[in-house]
Amino acid sequence: MVDQVRTRPKQSPEAARRPSLPARFRLGAALLALLAVTACGAGSGGGPGSGSAADGGAPARAAAHRDRVEPLPGKPVPGLPARVASADGHTVTVRDVSRIVPLTGSLSELVFSLGLGEHVVARDITATFEQAKKLPLVTRAHDVSAENVLSLRPTLVLAESTTGPAEAIDQIRDAGVPLVILDPAKSLDDVDKRIHAVAKTLGVPDAGDALAARTDARLAAVRERIPAHEDRPRVAFLYLRGTASVYLLGGADSGASSLLEAAGAVDAGKESGLRKDFTAITSEALAKAAPDAILVMSKGLDSVGGVDGLLKIPGIAETPAGLDRRVVAVDDGVLLNYGPRTDEVLATLVDQLYGKDGKTGEDGKSGKDGKSGEDGRG
């Protein structure tokens, strides 16, 4: 069971605002690279610490939803050619979407959600949802293999500005394959923009309108049940990869701030003065952040041995979150995607922070199992 947050008294402004620390990890490149390297190595269940946060320190499990995307009903007919601007300055004419290779998990999720999953012929290592799992991989560790991509005779390749290496991207484009690069999404404000951009590229703008409307409605429904609290819980986003000895505290550009704020929480790292994306975890940085709860990716929590292992990282046990063992875990594959399943992520945060009924119980515990409903929507 994942216990819900009991907020602590607010810190003074002086304690809440601190200068940014120097260590920096670029979310799109470094974090995605670490995610990719560990996606196939870190156990997602049955390994060390499987269980719940309340049963002696094993990791809190992520949302109970099945790891699937939900395509729009029907099969949209692409209206091609489509002329689109790529984020790297190129203008690309898309004439054929019969063989699509998305080079990030979030782009794969969008293509499937728009109803064109049958046209996807490959995946990168971060596309872990059920419909994509059997597709051939075109990445080696976290690097795109141009040879693997080109061997599948793609008619369209989708990438992000953080996708690399640059040589592989250049090789794909030089081979004459239409390649569209999009900027990565880092906040809720980017969700509709990404949906419309991918839909336009695929020649299905009407499907993009429908998917954006569905996503907006689901996000609004989750927001309606977020309880109002005078003292908002302070939540620190930690990026953990114990097998690689990577322990990072998220700041303003970590990608998590928008979700935490939408869930009625305060991003403790950002509020403590961390203006960049990530900094190495130190006792001093954690003391400044003073989180009431800690947000982690589920595999990251597994990689350090669950909540018991997390509390052994210097400084964590002394925070309000560590003292109360308040840990919120969300599936790696959806947490920072900012796409059609972001409502599930937000619902998971809300359920684990406040409990399913949106209220703080007398015993400070969350709903029956601290998880969202079977469909991931509470």
Side-chain angles (χ1 to χ4, degrees):
M1 178 186 303
V2 181
D3 290 349
Q4 69 191 46
V5 174
R6 294 173 293 195
T7 57
R8 299 257 174 161
K10 291 182 178 177
Q11 289 181 303
S12 67
E14 292 76 14
R17 296 179 178 85
R18 297 285 193 253
S20 179
L21 296 176
R24 179 177 176 86
F25 268 70
R26 179 80 173 95
L27 174 67
L31 177 54
L32 183 58
L34 287 166
L35 275 169
V37 169
T38 54
C40 52
S44 59
S50 59
S52 68
D55 64 1
R61 310 314 294 166
H65 65 81
R66 292 176 299 168
D67 193 9
R68 292 180 56 86
V69 301
E70 181 185 350
L72 291 169
K75 294 183 179 180
V77 178
L80 299 172
R83 191 171 173 82
V84 295
S86 180
D88 60 351
H90 291 265
T91 298
V92 182
T93 300
V94 180
R95 293 185 171 87
D96 184 354
V97 293
S98 61
R99 298 182 66 81
I100 305 169
V101 177
L103 293 179
T104 71
S106 60
L107 290 172
S108 293
E109 180 178 312
L110 278 167
V111 177
F112 274 86
S113 297
L114 287 164
L116 294 177
E118 292 179 356
H119 301 278
V120 177
V121 297
R123 68 179 179 94
D124 87 310
I125 202 167
T126 63
T128 58
F129 56 92
E130 185 175 315
Q131 295 101 315
K133 278 184 178 179
K134 293 183 180 180
L135 292 171
L137 277 172
V138 291
T139 49
R140 295 169 181 160
H142 57 273
D143 287 341
V144 173
S145 166
E147 293 80 8
N148 288 352
V149 171
L150 294 173
S151 71
L152 293 166
R153 298 173 290 107
T155 59
L156 174 65
V157 174
L158 300 174
E160 293 185 0
S161 55
T162 53
T163 305
E167 294 80 7
I169 299 301
D170 291 342
Q171 187 176 344
I172 293 168
R173 177 169 277 128
D174 291 345
V177 178
L179 186 150
V180 176
I181 295 177
L182 296 97
D183 290 321
K186 296 187 72 173
S187 75
L188 285 169
D189 290 339
D190 295 328
V191 172
D192 282 3
K193 296 175 188 176
R194 288 264 290 186
I195 290 173
H196 290 305
V198 173
K200 179 182 178 182
T201 301
L202 300 178
V204 290
D206 290 345
D209 292 341
L211 183 59
R214 186 184 81 179
T215 304
D216 291 346
R218 289 177 174 179
L219 283 168
V222 177
R223 282 172 156 156
E224 285 178 1
R225 61 185 180 86
I226 296 174
H229 290 286
E230 184 177 345
D231 293 329
R232 296 188 296 157
R234 297 172 61 86
V235 183
F237 173 43
L238 304 186
Y239 181 77
L240 311 170
R241 283 299 181 258
T243 52
S245 297
V246 174
Y247 310 104
L248 304 174
L249 170 61
D253 287 337
S254 72
S257 293
S258 181
L259 278 170
L260 292 173
E261 290 161 7
V266 173
D267 183 337
K270 174 182 175 181
E271 186 71 12
S272 72
L274 301 180
R275 297 296 170 229
K276 297 183 178 180
D277 41 21
F278 289 91
T279 186
I281 289 176
T282 64
S283 296
E284 179 187 18
L286 287 168
K288 292 174 183 176
D292 298 304
I294 290 171
L295 170 64
V296 293
M297 295 180 180
S298 54
K299 287 183 180 179
L301 191 58
D302 282 344
S303 77
V304 298
V307 175
D308 282 343
L310 176 66
L311 295 177
K312 293 176 183 178
I313 297 173
I316 290 181
E318 290 74 37
T319 65
L323 292 170
D324 288 341
R325 300 174 65 88
R326 303 298 184 211
V327 179
V328 175
V330 179
D331 290 343
D332 301 46
V334 294
L335 177 57
L336 298 180
N337 271 4
Y338 288 110
R341 294 194 290 171
T342 298
D343 67 293
E344 297 178 6
V345 176
L346 187 57
T348 300
L349 285 175
V350 172
D351 288 344
Q352 295 190 52
L353 283 173
Y354 310 113
K356 284 191 175 184
D357 59 1
K359 298 176 182 178
T360 302
E362 290 183 4
D363 61 354
K365 303 257 176 140
S366 64
K368 292 180 182 178
D369 57 6
K371 300 177 182 178
S372 62
E374 212 170 275
D375 63 355
R377 306 194 190 287

